[in-house]
Amino acid sequence: MVDWNDTTVKLAVYLIYGTSFLIMFAALTLWKKRVSHIEIMDDFKYLAAFGLLHGLAEYSDIPGFLAWQPSWIFDLVKLLLVLSSFAALLAFGLNIISSGIEERRWLRGIPYGAFLMYIWLLVFTGLDFTNQDTGINYKAADLAQRYSLGLIGAAVTSYAFFDLSGKMKTIAGEIAGKKFMFAGIGFALYAIFAGLNVNPVFGVPAVVYRSVIAVLITIAVIGIFGLFEVKQSK
């Protein structure tokens, strides 16, 4: 049996989780420059931002396992990184589903409004002044952002990839459609384990499922970029 509370095991899980999304960020950043002639790829900058911010957010948990102090700094850093990453993920999904449809362009402002609204709620309802150790009620704040921006962002992004899957199947064939579909499935699972459920499943912590899903999402996204012809630089 794996002891999920063991510090070494926790470090391994969070390193896999964070590194997976950082690899996705690096791959998207590298490939985006090479496929900049493909219009829809411009929106993948938001997915790259999600990968960077969320990867760093998972790394920010590591000092807590090592008992570094003051712990509230790392809690605050992670809270802001996760919040920003979920806003970027929602921005990606909404930009994809509103692409080329003028009537849906207003959707693109939602992530910014949601981000500001969450900060407002955090200031007025998420701060804990009930004890001498004044600070953020991190658990409540984390749950709030997961059940809102996290869940919606992952769900919308999943829908966006499924929508692209159908279009790409028509344009580029079944294999292309399946690669987008795999990414959609990955984000659907991420919506469940990063948004809906934060409790252990079959005795395994939710973060373990998230780390596995992060690896699968990264593989799927890299596979998508492999579909496109690289523009040769002169």
Side-chain angles (χ1 to χ4, degrees), residues 18-32:
T19 302
S20 296
F21 279 141
L22 289 176
I23 290 174
M24 184 178 75
F25 161 73
L28 286 173
T29 302
L30 176 64
W31 279 83
K32 184 178 179 298

mmCIF file with all atom_site columns, all heavy atoms in Angstrom, residues 18-32:
data_model
loop_
_atom_site.group_PDB
_atom_site.id
_atom_site.type_symbol
_atom_site.label_atom_id
_atom_site.label_alt_id
_atom_site.label_comp_id
_atom_site.label_asym_id
_atom_site.label_entity_id
_atom_site.label_seq_id
_atom_site.pdbx_PDB_ins_code
_atom_site.Cartn_x
_atom_site.Cartn_y
_atom_site.Cartn_z
_atom_site.occupancy
_atom_site.B_iso_or_equiv
_atom_site.pdbx_formal_charge
_atom_site.auth_seq_id
_atom_site.auth_comp_id
_atom_site.auth_asym_id
_atom_site.auth_atom_id
_atom_site.pdbx_PDB_model_num
ATOM 1   N N   . GLY A 1 18 ? 2.999  19.424 -11.380 1.00 0.00 ? 18 GLY A N   1
ATOM 2   C CA  . GLY A 1 18 ? 3.488  20.728 -11.815 1.00 0.00 ? 18 GLY A CA  1
ATOM 3   C C   . GLY A 1 18 ? 4.338  20.657 -13.067 1.00 0.00 ? 18 GLY A C   1
ATOM 4   O O   . GLY A 1 18 ? 4.188  21.473 -13.986 1.00 0.00 ? 18 GLY A O   1
ATOM 5   N N   . THR A 1 19 ? 5.220  19.669 -13.136 1.00 0.00 ? 19 THR A N   1
ATOM 6   C CA  . THR A 1 19 ? 6.120  19.550 -14.283 1.00 0.00 ? 19 THR A CA  1
ATOM 7   C C   . THR A 1 19 ? 5.354  19.259 -15.568 1.00 0.00 ? 19 THR A C   1
ATOM 8   O O   . THR A 1 19 ? 5.710  19.761 -16.640 1.00 0.00 ? 19 THR A O   1
ATOM 9   C CB  . THR A 1 19 ? 7.165  18.446 -14.032 1.00 0.00 ? 19 THR A CB  1
ATOM 10  O OG1 . THR A 1 19 ? 7.892  18.743 -12.834 1.00 0.00 ? 19 THR A OG1 1
ATOM 11  C CG2 . THR A 1 19 ? 8.140  18.346 -15.196 1.00 0.00 ? 19 THR A CG2 1
ATOM 12  N N   . SER A 1 20 ? 4.296  18.470 -15.466 1.00 0.00 ? 20 SER A N   1
ATOM 13  C CA  . SER A 1 20 ? 3.492  18.152 -16.655 1.00 0.00 ? 20 SER A CA  1
ATOM 14  C C   . SER A 1 20 ? 2.953  19.418 -17.302 1.00 0.00 ? 20 SER A C   1
ATOM 15  O O   . SER A 1 20 ? 3.076  19.615 -18.519 1.00 0.00 ? 20 SER A O   1
ATOM 16  C CB  . SER A 1 20 ? 2.329  17.226 -16.277 1.00 0.00 ? 20 SER A CB  1
ATOM 17  O OG  . SER A 1 20 ? 2.799  15.996 -15.810 1.00 0.00 ? 20 SER A OG  1
ATOM 18  N N   . PHE A 1 21 ? 2.373  20.290 -16.491 1.00 0.00 ? 21 PHE A N   1
ATOM 19  C CA  . PHE A 1 21 ? 1.803  21.514 -17.050 1.00 0.00 ? 21 PHE A CA  1
ATOM 20  C C   . PHE A 1 21 ? 2.887  22.492 -17.500 1.00 0.00 ? 21 PHE A C   1
ATOM 21  O O   . PHE A 1 21 ? 2.687  23.251 -18.454 1.00 0.00 ? 21 PHE A O   1
ATOM 22  C CB  . PHE A 1 21 ? 0.864  22.169 -16.045 1.00 0.00 ? 21 PHE A CB  1
ATOM 23  C CG  . PHE A 1 21 ? -0.508 21.553 -16.015 1.00 0.00 ? 21 PHE A CG  1
ATOM 24  C CD1 . PHE A 1 21 ? -1.188 21.366 -14.820 1.00 0.00 ? 21 PHE A CD1 1
ATOM 25  C CD2 . PHE A 1 21 ? -1.134 21.158 -17.187 1.00 0.00 ? 21 PHE A CD2 1
ATOM 26  C CE1 . PHE A 1 21 ? -2.455 20.804 -14.796 1.00 0.00 ? 21 PHE A CE1 1
ATOM 27  C CE2 . PHE A 1 21 ? -2.402 20.589 -17.176 1.00 0.00 ? 21 PHE A CE2 1
ATOM 28  C CZ  . PHE A 1 21 ? -3.063 20.413 -15.976 1.00 0.00 ? 21 PHE A CZ  1
ATOM 29  N N   . LEU A 1 22 ? 4.033  22.481 -16.841 1.00 0.00 ? 22 LEU A N   1
ATOM 30  C CA  . LEU A 1 22 ? 5.133  23.342 -17.292 1.00 0.00 ? 22 LEU A CA  1
ATOM 31  C C   . LEU A 1 22 ? 5.677  22.862 -18.637 1.00 0.00 ? 22 LEU A C   1
ATOM 32  O O   . LEU A 1 22 ? 6.065  23.673 -19.485 1.00 0.00 ? 22 LEU A O   1
ATOM 33  C CB  . LEU A 1 22 ? 6.245  23.374 -16.243 1.00 0.00 ? 22 LEU A CB  1
ATOM 34  C CG  . LEU A 1 22 ? 5.914  24.146 -14.960 1.00 0.00 ? 22 LEU A CG  1
ATOM 35  C CD1 . LEU A 1 22 ? 7.060  24.033 -13.961 1.00 0.00 ? 22 LEU A CD1 1
ATOM 36  C CD2 . LEU A 1 22 ? 5.626  25.619 -15.263 1.00 0.00 ? 22 LEU A CD2 1
ATOM 37  N N   . ILE A 1 23 ? 5.701  21.552 -18.836 1.00 0.00 ? 23 ILE A N   1
ATOM 38  C CA  . ILE A 1 23 ? 6.109  21.006 -20.136 1.00 0.00 ? 23 ILE A CA  1
ATOM 39  C C   . ILE A 1 23 ? 5.108  21.420 -21.209 1.00 0.00 ? 23 ILE A C   1
ATOM 40  O O   . ILE A 1 23 ? 5.486  21.782 -22.333 1.00 0.00 ? 23 ILE A O   1
ATOM 41  C CB  . ILE A 1 23 ? 6.231  19.472 -20.064 1.00 0.00 ? 23 ILE A CB  1
ATOM 42  C CG1 . ILE A 1 23 ? 7.438  19.080 -19.212 1.00 0.00 ? 23 ILE A CG1 1
ATOM 43  C CG2 . ILE A 1 23 ? 6.347  18.870 -21.470 1.00 0.00 ? 23 ILE A CG2 1
ATOM 44  C CD1 . ILE A 1 23 ? 7.556  17.592 -18.958 1.00 0.00 ? 23 ILE A CD1 1
ATOM 45  N N   . MET A 1 24 ? 3.816  21.388 -20.859 1.00 0.00 ? 24 MET A N   1
ATOM 46  C CA  . MET A 1 24 ? 2.796  21.826 -21.813 1.00 0.00 ? 24 MET A CA  1
ATOM 47  C C   . MET A 1 24 ? 3.004  23.290 -22.176 1.00 0.00 ? 24 MET A C   1
ATOM 48  O O   . MET A 1 24 ? 2.906  23.676 -23.348 1.00 0.00 ? 24 MET A O   1
ATOM 49  C CB  . MET A 1 24 ? 1.398  21.629 -21.231 1.00 0.00 ? 24 MET A CB  1
ATOM 50  C CG  . MET A 1 24 ? 0.280  21.986 -22.207 1.00 0.00 ? 24 MET A CG  1
ATOM 51  S SD  . MET A 1 24 ? -1.389 21.706 -21.545 1.00 0.00 ? 24 MET A SD  1
ATOM 52  C CE  . MET A 1 24 ? -1.531 23.094 -20.414 1.00 0.00 ? 24 MET A CE  1
ATOM 53  N N   . PHE A 1 25 ? 3.297  24.111 -21.175 1.00 0.00 ? 25 PHE A N   1
ATOM 54  C CA  . PHE A 1 25 ? 3.570  25.530 -21.426 1.00 0.00 ? 25 PHE A CA  1
ATOM 55  C C   . PHE A 1 25 ? 4.760  25.702 -22.368 1.00 0.00 ? 25 PHE A C   1
ATOM 56  O O   . PHE A 1 25 ? 4.692  26.470 -23.339 1.00 0.00 ? 25 PHE A O   1
ATOM 57  C CB  . PHE A 1 25 ? 3.853  26.252 -20.109 1.00 0.00 ? 25 PHE A CB  1
ATOM 58  C CG  . PHE A 1 25 ? 4.576  27.566 -20.275 1.00 0.00 ? 25 PHE A CG  1
ATOM 59  C CD1 . PHE A 1 25 ? 3.919  28.677 -20.770 1.00 0.00 ? 25 PHE A CD1 1
ATOM 60  C CD2 . PHE A 1 25 ? 5.927  27.673 -19.951 1.00 0.00 ? 25 PHE A CD2 1
ATOM 61  C CE1 . PHE A 1 25 ? 4.588  29.887 -20.942 1.00 0.00 ? 25 PHE A CE1 1
ATOM 62  C CE2 . PHE A 1 25 ? 6.602  28.866 -20.113 1.00 0.00 ? 25 PHE A CE2 1
ATOM 63  C CZ  . PHE A 1 25 ? 5.933  29.980 -20.616 1.00 0.00 ? 25 PHE A CZ  1
ATOM 64  N N   . ALA A 1 26 ? 5.844  24.978 -22.096 1.00 0.00 ? 26 ALA A N   1
ATOM 65  C CA  . ALA A 1 26 ? 7.042  25.092 -22.923 1.00 0.00 ? 26 ALA A CA  1
ATOM 66  C C   . ALA A 1 26 ? 6.761  24.643 -24.358 1.00 0.00 ? 26 ALA A C   1
ATOM 67  O O   . ALA A 1 26 ? 7.193  25.293 -25.324 1.00 0.00 ? 26 ALA A O   1
ATOM 68  C CB  . ALA A 1 26 ? 8.172  24.255 -22.321 1.00 0.00 ? 26 ALA A CB  1
ATOM 69  N N   . ALA A 1 27 ? 6.015  23.544 -24.493 1.00 0.00 ? 27 ALA A N   1
ATOM 70  C CA  . ALA A 1 27 ? 5.700  23.033 -25.827 1.00 0.00 ? 27 ALA A CA  1
ATOM 71  C C   . ALA A 1 27 ? 4.815  24.011 -26.597 1.00 0.00 ? 27 ALA A C   1
ATOM 72  O O   . ALA A 1 27 ? 5.050  24.284 -27.781 1.00 0.00 ? 27 ALA A O   1
ATOM 73  C CB  . ALA A 1 27 ? 5.009  21.676 -25.711 1.00 0.00 ? 27 ALA A CB  1
ATOM 74  N N   . LEU A 1 28 ? 3.803  24.549 -25.923 1.00 0.00 ? 28 LEU A N   1
ATOM 75  C CA  . LEU A 1 28 ? 2.906  25.498 -26.581 1.00 0.00 ? 28 LEU A CA  1
ATOM 76  C C   . LEU A 1 28 ? 3.643  26.772 -26.976 1.00 0.00 ? 28 LEU A C   1
ATOM 77  O O   . LEU A 1 28 ? 3.411  27.324 -28.056 1.00 0.00 ? 28 LEU A O   1
ATOM 78  C CB  . LEU A 1 28 ? 1.738  25.843 -25.650 1.00 0.00 ? 28 LEU A CB  1
ATOM 79  C CG  . LEU A 1 28 ? 0.672  24.765 -25.474 1.00 0.00 ? 28 LEU A CG  1
ATOM 80  C CD1 . LEU A 1 28 ? -0.328 25.173 -24.399 1.00 0.00 ? 28 LEU A CD1 1
ATOM 81  C CD2 . LEU A 1 28 ? -0.050 24.500 -26.779 1.00 0.00 ? 28 LEU A CD2 1
ATOM 82  N N   . THR A 1 29 ? 4.517  27.242 -26.115 1.00 0.00 ? 29 THR A N   1
ATOM 83  C CA  . THR A 1 29 ? 5.273  28.458 -26.409 1.00 0.00 ? 29 THR A CA  1
ATOM 84  C C   . THR A 1 29 ? 6.183  28.252 -27.613 1.00 0.00 ? 29 THR A C   1
ATOM 85  O O   . THR A 1 29 ? 6.282  29.111 -28.499 1.00 0.00 ? 29 THR A O   1
ATOM 86  C CB  . THR A 1 29 ? 6.116  28.875 -25.188 1.00 0.00 ? 29 THR A CB  1
ATOM 87  O OG1 . THR A 1 29 ? 5.249  29.082 -24.064 1.00 0.00 ? 29 THR A OG1 1
ATOM 88  C CG2 . THR A 1 29 ? 6.874  30.164 -25.476 1.00 0.00 ? 29 THR A CG2 1
ATOM 89  N N   . LEU A 1 30 ? 6.839  27.108 -27.663 1.00 0.00 ? 30 LEU A N   1
ATOM 90  C CA  . LEU A 1 30 ? 7.747  26.804 -28.766 1.00 0.00 ? 30 LEU A CA  1
ATOM 91  C C   . LEU A 1 30 ? 6.990  26.625 -30.074 1.00 0.00 ? 30 LEU A C   1
ATOM 92  O O   . LEU A 1 30 ? 7.335  27.220 -31.095 1.00 0.00 ? 30 LEU A O   1
ATOM 93  C CB  . LEU A 1 30 ? 8.544  25.541 -28.442 1.00 0.00 ? 30 LEU A CB  1
ATOM 94  C CG  . LEU A 1 30 ? 9.479  25.027 -29.547 1.00 0.00 ? 30 LEU A CG  1
ATOM 95  C CD1 . LEU A 1 30 ? 10.581 26.043 -29.824 1.00 0.00 ? 30 LEU A CD1 1
ATOM 96  C CD2 . LEU A 1 30 ? 10.083 23.681 -29.149 1.00 0.00 ? 30 LEU A CD2 1
ATOM 97  N N   . TRP A 1 31 ? 5.934  25.814 -30.029 1.00 0.00 ? 31 TRP A N   1
ATOM 98  C CA  . TRP A 1 31 ? 5.209  25.499 -31.250 1.00 0.00 ? 31 TRP A CA  1
ATOM 99  C C   . TRP A 1 31 ? 4.341  26.642 -31.737 1.00 0.00 ? 31 TRP A C   1
ATOM 100 O O   . TRP A 1 31 ? 4.088  26.772 -32.935 1.00 0.00 ? 31 TRP A O   1
ATOM 101 C CB  . TRP A 1 31 ? 4.357  24.246 -31.041 1.00 0.00 ? 31 TRP A CB  1
ATOM 102 C CG  . TRP A 1 31 ? 5.156  22.993 -31.176 1.00 0.00 ? 31 TRP A CG  1
ATOM 103 C CD1 . TRP A 1 31 ? 5.923  22.404 -30.218 1.00 0.00 ? 31 TRP A CD1 1
ATOM 104 C CD2 . TRP A 1 31 ? 5.298  22.191 -32.341 1.00 0.00 ? 31 TRP A CD2 1
ATOM 105 N NE1 . TRP A 1 31 ? 6.526  21.280 -30.706 1.00 0.00 ? 31 TRP A NE1 1
ATOM 106 C CE2 . TRP A 1 31 ? 6.158  21.117 -32.017 1.00 0.00 ? 31 TRP A CE2 1
ATOM 107 C CE3 . TRP A 1 31 ? 4.776  22.259 -33.633 1.00 0.00 ? 31 TRP A CE3 1
ATOM 108 C CZ2 . TRP A 1 31 ? 6.506  20.137 -32.922 1.00 0.00 ? 31 TRP A CZ2 1
ATOM 109 C CZ3 . TRP A 1 31 ? 5.122  21.273 -34.547 1.00 0.00 ? 31 TRP A CZ3 1
ATOM 110 C CH2 . TRP A 1 31 ? 5.980  20.229 -34.191 1.00 0.00 ? 31 TRP A CH2 1
ATOM 111 N N   . LYS A 1 32 ? 3.868  27.482 -30.815 1.00 0.00 ? 32 LYS A N   1
ATOM 112 C CA  . LYS A 1 32 ? 2.994  28.585 -31.220 1.00 0.00 ? 32 LYS A CA  1
ATOM 113 C C   . LYS A 1 32 ? 3.701  29.517 -32.198 1.00 0.00 ? 32 LYS A C   1
ATOM 114 O O   . LYS A 1 32 ? 3.103  30.021 -33.147 1.00 0.00 ? 32 LYS A O   1
ATOM 115 C CB  . LYS A 1 32 ? 2.523  29.368 -29.994 1.00 0.00 ? 32 LYS A CB  1
ATOM 116 C CG  . LYS A 1 32 ? 1.537  30.478 -30.325 1.00 0.00 ? 32 LYS A CG  1
ATOM 117 C CD  . LYS A 1 32 ? 1.083  31.180 -29.059 1.00 0.00 ? 32 LYS A CD  1
ATOM 118 C CE  . LYS A 1 32 ? 0.124  32.310 -29.413 1.00 0.00 ? 32 LYS A CE  1
ATOM 119 N NZ  . LYS A 1 32 ? 0.746  33.345 -30.239 1.00 0.00 ? 32 LYS A NZ  1
#
